[in-house]
Amino acid sequence: GVVSGNSTVLSSVTLPAGDLNDDDFVNIQDVTLVTGIFGSQSGDASYNANYDLNSDGYISIQDVTMLTGHFGWISVTNVPWP
């Protein structure tokens, strides 16, 4: 981060697994994306490796669980840190 006076500005923070649409929020939109291709696997037209959060080649309950475990998280970008 950059220190200015009494605060530090964080230049970026990467969210953990779950922000599938890169909007800086892990929310219902991300859940909808992963559940929309639930059951697909590597090689299927509907499979998206970016949604395979545990990288096992399948979009399964494990991926949904990883995402929902971070539900409600938001990215902190360029926010003053006391």
Side-chain angles (χ1 to χ4, degrees), residues 5-68:
N6 293 328
S7 64
T8 300
V9 176
L10 300 175
S11 54
S12 76
V13 174
T14 302
L15 283 176
D19 182 21
L20 302 180
N21 62 356
D22 294 322
D23 67 353
D24 294 328
F25 299 93
V26 179
N27 57 24
I28 193 66
Q29 294 172 353
D30 303 300
V31 173
T32 301
L33 289 172
V34 76
T35 58
I37 62 169
F38 188 86
S40 66
Q41 60 184 323
S42 181
D44 292 349
S46 61
Y47 177 79
N48 184 329
N50 294 323
Y51 299 0
D52 185 5
L53 302 178
N54 65 352
S55 302
D56 68 352
Y58 298 93
I59 306 299
S60 64
I61 194 64
Q62 287 86 7
D63 303 299
V64 175
T65 301
M66 288 178 71
L67 186 151
T68 58

